Amino acid sequence: MKTFYAASHLEHAPGQEFEGGRLTPAVEVPARVERVRAEVERRKLGPILAPEDFGMAPIARVHDAGLVQFLGEASELWHKRYGENAPPAIPSAWPARGLRERPVGDVESRLGTYAFDTATPIVKGTWNAALAAVNIALSGAQAIKGGERAAFALARPPGHHASADLFGGYCYLNNIAIAAQWFVDQGLKPAILDVDYHHGNGTQSIFYNRSDVLYCSLHGDPSFAFPHFLGFADETGAGAGEGANLNLPMAMYTDWSHYAEALALALKRITAFAPDVLLVSLGLDTFEADPISRFKLKREDYLRMGETIAAANLPTLFVFEGGYNLDALAEITVNVLDGFAGG
Ligand code: FKS
Ligand code: ZN
């Protein structure tokens, strides 16, 4: 299987995020992708390729022009305001109920308008890394369209929390949604399976009113897990999209036996949808020793996950999302891909 990777993610390295009432060391760090890349090489998964540049058009198909404009200039505006040596940009005020969104205001107004959390800082290299992650996902999509059975988009920063006009949850642009929309624009019918521990609120919102893209997510119940405000079981799609959204929130400490049942259910729904391609938001933070999550999957369970996904018998694009246990991340990521390739 081909892996797509770009070194520009190394320049996106905010050292801290604001969480739990304090600045705390970032968990979404460059070493995540570097370790996975090394493991892809070690286990000879296939070639590691640089992405092609798809330009801004595929991004504009999914994201609001104001968000894109802001992300492109946020770091510069922030440093003009707070100085060259200022820490990464993090919002400190939001247009919550009754307040007015200000997409053309100063940098603080625009940060508050477009960000939904304090865990997604912007540094100088963020925009280039976010663009490269999109190109990585699109290059994977193009490989699938060209006839590959599977491809791995080793993207960073992740994407599934970013909606049309919001960034957050370590995500700036929604890599998998942009790839799914690209498939639609190529005349193909995509389904998305999101196995990250966190609900992909951004991906869900982007396709919520549409029947041409199915979104299925397995995740920690938002009653205790981030993103807290979306991802409940009663969100089934709206309007033309009614029935094209499936959320399977699960309890704390969910292990493989329960997880496998939910995965089978999701794949049944995907098969019934009869897509041309499957896109997988591949988050590995369901691991038992993940530092920010509360599921109990074990190393070997990820081989089963890959085999189970392969049984759907669809051309499959894996897009990297979360996963924060650096000692296990590389092994369990490639376990899924290996399991798929052997399944
Ligand atoms: C837990 C705090 C949670 C934010 C978690 C973001 C998760 C991001 C992710 C992605 F795939 F996007 F990277 N803070 N105490 O894993 O879903
Ligand atoms: Zn996650």
Side-chain angles (χ1 to χ4, degrees), residues 19 158 160-161 169-171 196 198 226 285 321-322 324:
E19 205 266 321
H160 73 152
H161 296 301
Y170 315 150
C171 302
D196 188 277
H198 304 95
F226 185 89
D285 37 12
E321 302 276 6
Y324 307 99

Side-chain angles (χ1 to χ4, degrees), residues 17-20 27-28 32 117 119-120 157-161 168-171 194 196-200 225-228 282-285 291-293 320-324:
E17 61 178 271
F18 192 83
E19 205 266 321
V27 295
E28 202 295 282
R32 300 175 56 245
D117 75 355
T120 316
H160 73 152
H161 296 301
Y170 315 150
C171 302
D194 191 328
D196 188 277
Y197 172 81
H198 304 95
H199 176 252
F226 185 89
H228 309 298
L282 183 57
L284 294 303
D285 37 12
I292 68 167
S293 307
F320 194 56
E321 302 276 6
Y324 307 99

Side-chain angles (χ1 to χ4, degrees), residues 216-228:
C216 297
S217 179
L218 283 64
H219 51 269
D221 194 314
S223 62
F224 60 84
F226 185 89
H228 309 298

